[in-house]
Amino acid sequence: MNVALQIRETPGGMVQAEALLAEFGKLLASSLDYEETLAGVAELAVRFIADFCIIDLLEDGAIKRQQAAHADPLKADLTRELLRFPLDRTRPHLSREALETGKSVLVPEVSDQLLRQMTQNEEHRRILTALDPRSFMAVPLLARDRLLGVVLFVSSTRTYSQSDLLLAERLVRLAALEVDNARLFRESQQALLARDNVLRIVAHDLRNPLNAITMSADLLRSDRLTPEQRDQQAELIGRSARRMNRLIQDLLDVGRIESGQLHLSRVLLEPARLVEEIVELNQSLAKVGSLSLRGEIHEELPKISADRDRILQVFSNLVGNALKFTPPGGEIVLSAAPFGSMVRFSVTDTGCGIAPDDLSRLFRPFWQAERQQRDGLGLGLSIAKGIVEAHGGTIHAESCPGRGSTFWFTIPAVIPPRGGERRHGPSDRRASLTSSPG
């Protein structure tokens, strides 16, 4: 007989319910591991109030089936098969209403028609039919005014009532706090690990130029150097010091962006002039790498209100990556064009491209796809993203491995161009700036 039914029919039911809640809380508090806490919630649910339990979590707007348990060990594996089916938020499923409203849902009887509506596909329907859900409750995991997910209590033997729902809600309230505590603990541990990684990377990347400065300083004390060699060592010290300063400035920029204190000195700017300037600044580097550097500028561009130095910094980061990862004989194209109420700037190269799995991580601080080629902290794209978003724009990357990449960002126009967003074809009027391999 189900525990909830026992509680309802026993004269000391309230006392037993409080005892169960106390045991539930004690067991939940025994671990600060995120996955262990959720597994404990599912196992305790099938002990106390359900024949089987499923926990769906919200992660970055998507639903993830995190845990599943069954009171019958012979059906446990079948229940866990439900974790293989991703849920479509646009289609009916058992958790949908609770996820959308943040309120508990009680369905006393699951009809055959409802079961058909709640299945994602034929295989999903086969498993649910075998588990024979007769009644279910969907209770949202709410902690600190945040919806974490939904706990599904499903019975195959009887009909749930309001008193069952009240007990389930009390259990889930306890669970939500422990789950959220476990989540916060995990995030704090990840933050500590990230801090240690940052310190390790910074120490490594500052040590190399510092060693170069130390060695050059020792050589300058020698009487055996010619004037030309002394000049070379002095230049090496200057380059190393500038590299150290750039690394330090990158760290300071990340700190300002993350704290929301990035200062912008906005002025009216001509997008065409920005592209021209970046092409001019990088012509010599493109020629050294035997690359073609070309600018495409739409003739009908509105002005933007932006921090000139910061926008050039974004361009420098994007073009610097294009120069680094484009083989000799390749091409890099910088462009500016109207894009709805924005101006869209882009940097397109014919380089090695980016793996699909890496695209979503490109703009994370300290992340680099090619660690063996790195000559910085991996902050350039993260800083570019922060600068663009501080201007009210967005930044994106598109790539096909082996066929190059396009990085583009938008900045709001002072006076939006007429006609809204435009798709540009061969007939568009553009000015061209070209730097061919030398």
Side-chain angles (χ1 to χ4, degrees), residues 8-19:
R8 212 170 40 246
E9 292 180 346
T10 303
M14 289 303 296
V15 175
Q16 289 193 30
E18 293 301 329

Side-chain angles (χ1 to χ4, degrees), residues 80-215:
R80 282 191 287 270
E81 286 189 40
L82 293 173
L83 300 178
R84 297 189 295 105
F85 295 93
L87 294 180
D88 184 350
R89 295 193 74 169
T90 65
R91 297 187 58 187
H93 55 81
L94 299 180
S95 301
R96 182 176 178 179
E97 185 176 347
L99 284 170
E100 291 180 349
T101 65
K103 297 180 179 179
S104 298
V105 176
L106 169 63
V107 177
E109 295 185 12
V110 178
S111 64
D112 291 339
Q113 180 181 0
L114 179 61
L115 186 61
R116 286 194 297 271
Q117 291 174 349
M118 293 292 181
T119 53
Q120 302 287 298
N121 52 43
E122 287 301 322
E123 180 65 11
H124 189 223
R125 182 179 302 170
R126 180 190 68 79
I127 296 172
L128 277 180
T129 301
L131 291 172
D132 191 25
R134 301 286 180 87
S135 182
F136 78 87
M137 301 178 290
V139 182
L141 272 165
L142 290 166
R144 301 175 178 89
D145 296 324
R146 178 185 176 189
L147 179 62
L148 306 178
V150 168
V151 180
L152 285 168
F153 301 88
V154 188
S155 174
S156 302
T157 56
R158 66 182 190 82
T159 299
Y160 283 131
S161 66
Q162 284 294 328
S163 60
D164 294 311
L165 182 61
L166 290 174
L167 177 60
E169 288 176 334
R170 294 186 69 182
L171 296 176
V172 172
R173 276 198 295 271
L174 284 174
L177 289 173
E178 295 303 328
V179 168
D180 198 42
N181 288 338
R183 178 185 62 82
L184 293 173
F185 178 75
R186 184 181 65 173
E187 290 178 356
S188 68
Q189 294 297 104
Q190 291 174 340
L192 290 174
L193 180 61
R195 182 203 63 184
D196 292 342
N197 287 337
V198 168
L199 292 175
R200 176 178 54 80
I201 294 170
V202 170
H204 177 275
D205 284 14
L206 287 178
R207 185 181 292 118
N208 287 341
L210 184 59
N211 287 340
I213 290 173
T214 302
M215 292 176 62

Side-chain angles (χ1 to χ4, degrees), residues 25 42 69 165 236 340 414:
L165 182 61
L236 178 59
V414 175

Side-chain angles (χ1 to χ4, degrees), residues 313-335:
Q313 183 180 0
V314 172
F315 258 124
S316 294
N317 284 330
L318 300 181
V319 175
N321 284 339
L323 291 169
K324 184 191 303 183
F325 295 110
T326 304
E331 182 182 53
I332 299 170
V333 178
L334 281 64
S335 67

Side-chain angles (χ1 to χ4, degrees), residues 128-316:
L128 277 180
T129 301
L131 291 172
D132 191 25
R134 301 286 180 87
S135 182
F136 78 87
M137 301 178 290
V139 182
L141 272 165
L142 290 166
R144 301 175 178 89
D145 296 324
R146 178 185 176 189
L147 179 62
L148 306 178
V150 168
V151 180
L152 285 168
F153 301 88
V154 188
S155 174
S156 302
T157 56
R158 66 182 190 82
T159 299
Y160 283 131
S161 66
Q162 284 294 328
S163 60
D164 294 311
L165 182 61
L166 290 174
L167 177 60
E169 288 176 334
R170 294 186 69 182
L171 296 176
V172 172
R173 276 198 295 271
L174 284 174
L177 289 173
E178 295 303 328
V179 168
D180 198 42
N181 288 338
R183 178 185 62 82
L184 293 173
F185 178 75
R186 184 181 65 173
E187 290 178 356
S188 68
Q189 294 297 104
Q190 291 174 340
L192 290 174
L193 180 61
R195 182 203 63 184
D196 292 342
N197 287 337
V198 168
L199 292 175
R200 176 178 54 80
I201 294 170
V202 170
H204 177 275
D205 284 14
L206 287 178
R207 185 181 292 118
N208 287 341
L210 184 59
N211 287 340
I213 290 173
T214 302
M215 292 176 62
S216 294
D218 289 340
L219 287 172
L220 286 174
R221 296 190 185 98
S222 172
D223 296 332
R224 294 172 296 181
L225 295 182
T226 65
E228 182 179 356
Q229 289 173 328
R230 287 181 177 276
D231 289 342
Q232 290 175 348
Q233 293 303 315
E235 175 60 26
L236 178 59
I237 289 175
R239 286 202 309 270
S240 298
R242 288 191 292 273
R243 181 182 175 192
M244 292 176 69
N245 184 62
R246 186 179 72 250
L247 295 174
I248 292 169
Q249 287 302 316
D250 282 350
L251 287 170
L252 293 174
D253 281 344
V254 167
R256 294 187 187 104
I257 290 169
E258 291 183 346
S259 64
Q261 296 179 352
L262 183 68
H263 176 70
L264 299 178
S265 298
R266 294 177 183 265
V267 294
L268 283 179
L269 297 173
E270 295 279 358
R273 181 55 195 150
L274 289 172
V275 175
E276 291 169 359
E277 189 169 350
I278 288 295
V279 170
E280 292 169 2
L281 288 172
N282 289 277
Q283 278 182 356
S284 59
L285 291 175
K287 289 180 179 179
V288 168
S290 299
L291 301 172
S292 170
L293 180 63
R294 181 163 58 89
E296 288 187 351
I297 304 171
H298 195 277
E299 292 182 358
E300 299 177 0
L301 283 175
K303 291 183 178 181
I304 60 174
S305 176
D307 186 314
R308 175 183 173 278
D309 291 338
R310 290 297 189 183
I311 297 299
L312 291 178
Q313 183 180 0
V314 172
F315 258 124
S316 294

Side-chain angles (χ1 to χ4, degrees), residues 370-391:
E370 299 291 340
R371 300 301 297 180
Q372 71 274 17
Q373 297 185 27
R374 69 184 185 88
D375 57 357
L377 296 174
L379 294 174
L381 292 179
S382 174
I383 292 171
K385 180 175 184 288
I387 292 173
V388 169
E389 290 179 349
H391 280 84

